[in-house]
Amino acid sequence: MSADGLVMLAEPARLEREVRKSLFLAQAAPVTTPADALAFVRAVSDLDATHNCWAYRIGQDYRSDDDGEPGGTAGRPILQVIDGQGFDNVVVVVTRWFGGIKLGAGGLVRAYGGTAAECLRLAPRVPIVRRTRLTFHCGFGDLALLQARLPALDAVVEDEAFDAEGARMVIAVPEGDVENAIGRIADLTRGQSVPRVVA
């Protein structure tokens, strides 16, 4: 079940195109924090380029930057493309090397927004799945079986801490599968491990 139909990049993507002799390069990546997004911006920005304009969206956190282009002609159009295509947890940097022909405000909006849009449109994407965290203790006798069966529950192991009797685990399962996951884990361990939702 996707989070309100949102998607994220399956892997980093890039697209290059020329607009009236200026070269535009869009580079996009999946990110989980604003710090990750800004680190990507720093990593891919070309200091020899004319402009490195960017935007990111991570849930309710978003930012954009025109990097010296006229206000609202670069960063905001990139952000509008991210939102318009239903992306989350993504950063897009569009780098421009000026080719000698001025594009005007409308031309800049189309060039930056269009380059970002084409890059994201062609990029591999995956649905974002809202997850609920569950925790439980599992004895050593059941651990190997549980670890083998967790992928079938689409469970992501977030933490595993061992003690003398076994392991305390924290997993994340799709929101719609919580009751099924709790039941399956209890069944597999003959009632010895009953997960509870992490508040």
Side-chain angles (χ1 to χ4, degrees):
M1 179 172 166
S2 70
D4 306 320
L6 294 175
V7 295
M8 65 182 289
L9 287 173
E11 60 191 40
R14 59 186 282 136
L15 178 117
E16 193 175 290
R17 69 182 197 158
E18 188 176 305
V19 179
R20 299 186 68 198
K21 299 198 175 179
S22 281
L23 180 63
F24 288 83
L25 169 65
Q27 298 180 84
V31 290
T32 54
T33 67
D36 290 344
L38 295 175
F40 179 80
V41 170
R42 285 191 298 276
V44 303
S45 290
D46 185 334
L47 298 180
D48 294 327
T50 318
H51 303 281
N52 293 284
C53 305
W54 54 268
Y56 70 75
R57 157 84 56 200
I58 302 164
Q60 297 304 310
D61 288 327
Y62 62 91
R63 249 179 89 187
S64 63
D65 191 299
D66 295 315
D67 191 36
E69 291 284 28
T73 62
R76 193 173 308 134
I78 296 168
L79 182 60
Q80 288 170 338
V81 163
I82 291 170
D83 292 342
Q85 292 194 27
F87 274 91
D88 198 359
N89 294 0
V90 68
V91 58
V92 180
V93 179
V94 179
T95 302
R96 178 190 186 193
W97 290 269
F98 182 59
I101 299 174
K102 294 194 173 185
L103 301 179
L108 289 172
V109 168
R110 287 188 296 277
Y112 281 102
T115 304
E118 189 72 358
C119 178
L120 291 178
R121 189 181 69 74
L122 296 174
R125 56 183 74 192
V126 293
I128 293 175
V129 177
R130 288 196 198 280
R131 294 182 174 272
T132 298
R133 297 171 77 219
L134 302 174
T135 184
F136 58 93
H137 189 275
C138 172
F140 283 119
D142 295 319
L143 190 57
L145 176 63
L146 264 182
Q147 288 172 328
R149 298 289 174 86
L150 287 175
L153 298 172
D154 193 14
V156 177
V157 177
E158 291 190 349
D159 192 33
E160 199 173 43
F162 294 93
D163 59 27
E165 286 82 41
R168 176 151 309 282
M169 301 184 74
V170 177
I171 63 172
V173 298
E175 275 183 358
D177 295 337
V178 172
E179 294 306 316
N180 178 48
I182 290 171
R184 288 289 296 138
I185 291 167
D187 288 348
L188 289 168
T189 62
R190 298 159 315 285
Q192 298 301 305
S193 299
V194 180
R196 61 181 176 77
V197 174
V198 177

